[in-house]
Amino acid sequence: MSEITASAAPPLPAAAERLKFYGLWGAAAIVLLLLPKIFGSGGSLTTFSLIGIAIIFSLSYNILLGQTGMLSFGPAVYYGLGGFLVIHAINIVGANKLPIPLPVVPLIGGLTGLLFAALFGWVSTQRSGTAFAMISLGVAELIASSALILRTFFGGEAGVSANRTKLLKLFGWNFGPQIQIYYLVAAWTLIAVIAMYALTRTPLGRMCNAVRDNPERVQFVGYNPHVVRYLAFCFSGFFAGIAGALAAINFEIANSAYLGAAQSVTVLFATYIGGIGFFVGPIVGAIFVTFLSLGLSDLTQVWQLYFGLIFIAVVVFAPGGITGLLMMHRPLLKAGTLPKMLPSYLVALVPTLAMIAGFILSLETIVHYSVNPGDDPHITAFGIGFNAASPYIWAIAAILLIGGYLVARKTWTSIGDAWDDATSVAREKGVAA
């Protein structure tokens, strides 16, 4: 009886893990269903739709960067081409009254991204590292310039528009209201996220990690690193095409901006800021960057500059991204030593915020005099109006910046000491920190 009990015991943890796994996805689906009930305004629904599109795009890019270790400067190629093909497909389906509902149309974008990824990827993935990055940049510039030359297909600077409501209705939905588009984007986001997570658990996903870490050893055990990179490239193009298709459906237009460098840079920022070493990292980054871009654009005229500075700060001080910073505290949370860090964080918060405020004030005044030297010195940034020509403003900026830095530097030292103590206690409790 004891042998039977021992042999039957192992499946229980596995069943618990499966229950936890499906529970997380079920909770995510419930959250997506309830969000419009809590935030029902048109602006909120549009923001949530943009976040869903950004999540798919960022995760597709992370298949290359985080999973396979390939830095690409051209993910917008497959995002944009997927969007353009979907716009043309909507016009063709609507004109011929074909029995194709809108929810299946994003597959056209995905297949378009897959087709062009398969076409460009075999040559691009022959090499990795800097060579691959430069090839992807060349392909991106080639396609972006073609968007302004091939006006019949790309529509020139104006782009190509469509009317999504002309397609076959599904359960009485014509997908005109934004709430219906939100649920369409949410459904595809959940499906795509689950599919990309499942991809990371397959043998191909594991081999992508191996190629990222040591391609020579992968070749030694009998696998071709080029084929692995190529397959990852194709999967990335497929999901990027789905993201571009959803963006085109959401805005009912596709233009050259879909293929531009700004689109590639944005997804690079979102993926890296969120954390390329974790599956949820690009999701966190997509949410952060979307909210930040929408918020900063209303608060300051040089919001792109702040994006670049945030990216530099993450690369220098937090290579693991936001998710990496959070995961660093997970062992402390398990060991119960995290509360020891909170006083040090609170003490360092005030001078650090003062330093940031001084930096922002200095930056806004410098940019004003560099870009608009002859304009009215009274400017508004982050909802606060001030006179950029006033010596008091310059003095306040200098005091906040320099004084905040000097004080914050001492508090950062105390954070390091508290961190060492907390991690030491965690190790003594048997928790790896």
Side-chain angles (χ1 to χ4, degrees), residues 22-236:
Y22 292 120
L24 288 175
W25 292 118
I30 293 173
V31 169
L32 292 176
L33 285 173
L34 295 181
L35 271 179
K37 306 297 182 182
I38 303 173
F39 307 97
S41 65
S44 299
L45 294 176
T46 301
T47 301
F48 293 146
S49 299
L50 294 177
I51 289 175
I53 295 168
I55 287 173
I56 299 175
F57 195 18
S58 298
L59 283 173
S60 72
Y61 184 69
N62 200 48
I63 294 176
L64 293 178
L65 182 59
Q67 297 295 322
T68 320
M70 296 191 293
L71 174 62
S72 172
F73 292 122
V77 170
Y78 314 100
Y79 175 91
L81 290 175
F84 273 102
L85 261 294
V86 161
I87 288 295
H88 285 295
I90 291 175
N91 288 330
I92 294 173
V93 171
N96 296 278
K97 299 187 181 303
L98 300 177
I100 301 176
L102 189 65
V104 302
V105 171
L107 275 177
I108 299 175
L111 294 175
T112 301
L114 176 61
L115 173 64
F116 283 96
L119 180 64
F120 298 137
W122 186 256
V123 175
S124 301
T125 56
Q126 291 280 353
R127 302 287 298 275
S128 59
T130 304
F132 171 78
M134 293 299 100
I135 293 173
S136 67
L137 179 60
V139 172
E141 291 300 320
L142 173 66
I143 300 299
S145 60
S146 300
L148 299 177
I149 298 173
L150 305 177
R151 295 178 176 271
T152 303
F153 181 80
F154 292 104
E157 295 180 356
V160 183
S161 59
N163 186 352
R164 65 193 182 215
T165 62
K166 290 185 177 181
L167 271 64
L168 179 68
K169 292 183 179 180
L170 186 66
F171 303 114
W173 283 20
N174 65 352
F175 295 97
Q178 187 61 38
I179 181 67
Q180 297 178 7
I181 292 298
Y182 162 78
Y183 280 119
L184 173 63
V185 172
W188 270 104
T189 300
L190 187 62
I191 293 171
V193 170
I194 293 174
M196 282 185 273
Y197 180 79
L199 178 63
T200 65
R201 315 305 294 177
T202 61
L204 174 62
R206 299 302 189 186
M207 290 309 302
C208 288
N209 299 154
V211 169
R212 175 196 63 195
D213 298 333
N214 196 328
E216 290 80 8
R217 181 169 292 183
V218 169
Q219 191 170 11
F220 178 77
V221 298
Y223 290 90
N224 189 342
H226 173 222
V227 174
V228 175
R229 289 194 295 264
Y230 177 66
L231 292 175
F233 193 86
C234 291
F235 275 107
S236 176

Side-chain angles (χ1 to χ4, degrees), residues 69-418:
M70 296 191 293
L71 174 62
S72 172
F73 292 122
V77 170
Y78 314 100
Y79 175 91
L81 290 175
F84 273 102
L85 261 294
V86 161
I87 288 295
H88 285 295
I90 291 175
N91 288 330
I92 294 173
V93 171
N96 296 278
K97 299 187 181 303
L98 300 177
I100 301 176
L102 189 65
V104 302
V105 171
L107 275 177
I108 299 175
L111 294 175
T112 301
L114 176 61
L115 173 64
F116 283 96
L119 180 64
F120 298 137
W122 186 256
V123 175
S124 301
T125 56
Q126 291 280 353
R127 302 287 298 275
S128 59
T130 304
F132 171 78
M134 293 299 100
I135 293 173
S136 67
L137 179 60
V139 172
E141 291 300 320
L142 173 66
I143 300 299
S145 60
S146 300
L148 299 177
I149 298 173
L150 305 177
R151 295 178 176 271
T152 303
F153 181 80
F154 292 104
E157 295 180 356
V160 183
S161 59
N163 186 352
R164 65 193 182 215
T165 62
K166 290 185 177 181
L167 271 64
L168 179 68
K169 292 183 179 180
L170 186 66
F171 303 114
W173 283 20
N174 65 352
F175 295 97
Q178 187 61 38
I179 181 67
Q180 297 178 7
I181 292 298
Y182 162 78
Y183 280 119
L184 173 63
V185 172
W188 270 104
T189 300
L190 187 62
I191 293 171
V193 170
I194 293 174
M196 282 185 273
Y197 180 79
L199 178 63
T200 65
R201 315 305 294 177
T202 61
L204 174 62
R206 299 302 189 186
M207 290 309 302
C208 288
N209 299 154
V211 169
R212 175 196 63 195
D213 298 333
N214 196 328
E216 290 80 8
R217 181 169 292 183
V218 169
Q219 191 170 11
F220 178 77
V221 298
Y223 290 90
N224 189 342
H226 173 222
V227 174
V228 175
R229 289 194 295 264
Y230 177 66
L231 292 175
F233 193 86
C234 291
F235 275 107
S236 176
F238 174 75
F239 289 108
I242 290 178
L246 292 172
I249 290 172
N250 182 54
F251 295 110
E252 294 183 292
I253 189 172
N255 53 36
S256 58
Y258 280 46
L259 299 162
Q263 200 71 251
S264 296
V265 170
T266 300
V267 72
L268 171 62
F269 280 13
T271 306
Y272 206 97
I273 290 174
I276 61 174
F278 307 90
F279 180 79
V280 298
I283 299 176
V284 174
I287 296 172
F288 177 80
V289 168
T290 303
F291 274 119
L292 196 64
S293 61
L294 294 176
L296 280 180
S297 60
D298 295 331
L299 297 176
T300 176
Q301 296 180 353
V302 291
W303 59 274
Q304 297 98 333
L305 179 59
Y306 289 102
F307 256 111
L309 293 173
I310 292 173
F311 180 73
I312 293 172
V314 170
V315 171
V316 174
F317 300 108
I322 298 174
T323 308
L325 289 176
L326 296 176
M327 294 302 290
M328 285 173 57
H329 295 79
R330 187 178 180 183
L332 304 185
L333 182 62
K334 287 184 177 180
T337 59
L338 185 58
K340 294 183 178 181
M341 295 296 304
L342 297 181
S344 300
Y345 285 153
L346 293 175
V347 171
L349 181 62
V350 175
T352 303
L353 290 178
M355 181 188 68
I356 294 174
F359 177 78
I360 292 175
L361 189 58
S362 302
L363 185 62
E364 292 290 340
T365 52
I366 292 172
V367 168
H368 175 76
Y369 276 106
S370 300
V371 179
N372 305 308
D375 290 355
D376 184 7
H378 294 84
I379 60 176
T380 301
F382 294 90
I384 301 174
F386 56 91
N387 184 0
S390 173
Y392 297 106
I393 295 297
W394 288 89
I396 293 173
I399 292 172
L400 289 174
L401 180 59
I402 299 174
Y405 170 74
L406 294 176
V407 177
R409 187 175 181 180
K410 295 182 179 180
T411 61
W412 297 337
T413 303
S414 66
I415 288 178
D417 296 336

